[in-house]
Amino acid sequence: MNQKSLSKVQRLKEVLLINLLGEIPTIAFGPRLRKLFYRFIFSRIDKSVYIQNGVEFIGASKIELGSDVHIFKGVRIDVKGEDSRITLEKGVALEKDVTIGALDNTCVQIGEGTFIGPGVCITGPGDITIGKRCLIAAHVGIFANNHNFADPTKYIADQGISRQGIVIGDDCWLGHNVTVLDGVTIGEGSVIGAGAVVNRDIPPYSIAVGVPAKVIKKRGMKELVLNQQNVKE
């Protein structure tokens, strides 16, 4: 059997099991049944995984779930491409209506103990790494891609995309409705204020706010780190 045929068989198993078990509520032992039988379609499911009803998985054979992962209603995890992978490490929690997408040759990795709030969107096709014990508030967007648009004689949709990737270090807190754009690294221990648009790297242990996001101080220091030149930008 060739790779294409194997993929079709895997997808058939995935659709059958998810349609059969995906809507069984907690009161009817739904999470236990899903944990037991989803191991036949996932790349890895460790112990004590909790998957609520109403969760959609596409490409489950490329999804890895560590122990004590919690996934709540309305979550959609979609993995496309032969070399793509999504990994949720131990203790990750995905609140309602989170969307995570990995396209061709994309790796999305969310570190141990990280909380992803309701309505968050995390998508490639660039690689995305989110570190340990991060707090990602509701409706944050993390987008590891950007449309090319330099040629005004062509449709933007025909000019391709860039995919530099995004890295968010351990112990970061992203406030409500923050947007993180392609090519950005947010250093360990940083705090990004609600509504900020992060389009450049943020050093470790920084507090950044605004559109575009600018560092206003360092954690543990009272003095502002914005100089006059930054204010004028």
Side-chain angles (χ1 to χ4, degrees):
M1 189 178 292
N2 59 34
Q3 186 62 44
K4 188 174 182 180
S5 297
L6 284 171
S7 296
K8 288 182 177 179
V9 171
Q10 181 65 32
R11 179 57 182 158
L12 179 60
K13 287 168 55 181
E14 179 181 293
V15 169
L16 289 174
L17 273 176
I18 291 173
N19 284 340
L20 182 65
L21 303 175
E23 294 298 334
I24 299 175
T26 301
I27 197 170
F29 304 105
R32 292 186 183 183
L33 291 170
R34 284 184 281 274
K35 183 180 69 172
L36 178 62
F37 288 102
Y38 278 9
R39 63 190 178 90
F40 295 109
I41 57 172
F42 276 72
S43 175
R44 171 171 64 93
I45 291 186
D46 290 346
K47 63 182 181 179
S48 302
V49 168
Y50 177 88
I51 301 172
Q52 210 166 44
N53 54 302
V55 176
E56 182 180 7
F57 297 102
I58 300 173
S61 64
K62 304 177 184 69
I63 298 171
E64 302 176 350
L65 304 180
S67 60
D68 300 308
V69 164
H70 282 60
I71 303 176
F72 294 93
K73 283 184 180 181
V75 169
R76 185 176 191 268
I77 302 179
D78 184 354
V79 191
K80 294 183 174 68
E82 292 302 320
D83 296 318
S84 297
R85 177 170 54 86
I86 291 176
T87 301
L88 308 181
E89 299 291 356
K90 178 181 178 181
V92 167
L94 305 183
E95 267 290 355
K96 291 183 178 181
D97 301 321
V98 169
T99 299
I100 303 177
L103 300 176
D104 294 330
N105 302 306
T106 303
C107 176
V108 177
Q109 182 158 353
I110 301 178
E112 182 176 333
T114 284
F115 172 83
I116 308 294
V120 170
C121 182
I122 301 170
T123 183
D127 293 341
I128 298 172
T129 300
I130 300 174
K132 298 178 182 178
R133 300 297 303 275
C134 290
L135 299 172
I136 312 297
H139 303 293
V140 167
I142 299 171
F143 305 113
N145 64 82
N146 206 355
H147 287 278
N148 301 322
F149 55 87
D151 188 346
T153 67
K154 296 180 180 179
Y155 291 113
I156 294 172
D158 295 334
Q159 295 188 51
I161 61 173
S162 64
R163 45 181 295 173
Q164 300 176 61
I166 291 170
V167 176
I168 298 172
D170 297 344
D171 189 32
C172 288
W173 174 24
L174 276 58
H176 178 269
N177 206 36
V178 165
T179 300
V180 182
L181 300 180
D182 191 34
V184 162
T185 295
I186 298 176
E188 177 180 0
S190 291
V191 176
I192 311 298
V197 176
V198 186
N199 65 352
R200 65 184 74 180
D201 290 352
I202 302 295
Y205 300 100
S206 298
I207 300 173
V209 300
V211 180
K214 289 185 172 65
V215 175
I216 58 169
K217 64 175 70 173
K218 287 282 192 178
R219 287 180 59 195
M221 298 175 63
K222 293 183 179 180
E223 67 268 22
L224 297 180
V225 297
L226 272 177
N227 58 34
Q228 192 63 33
Q229 180 180 358
N230 286 337
V231 172
K232 292 178 180 179
E233 288 180 351

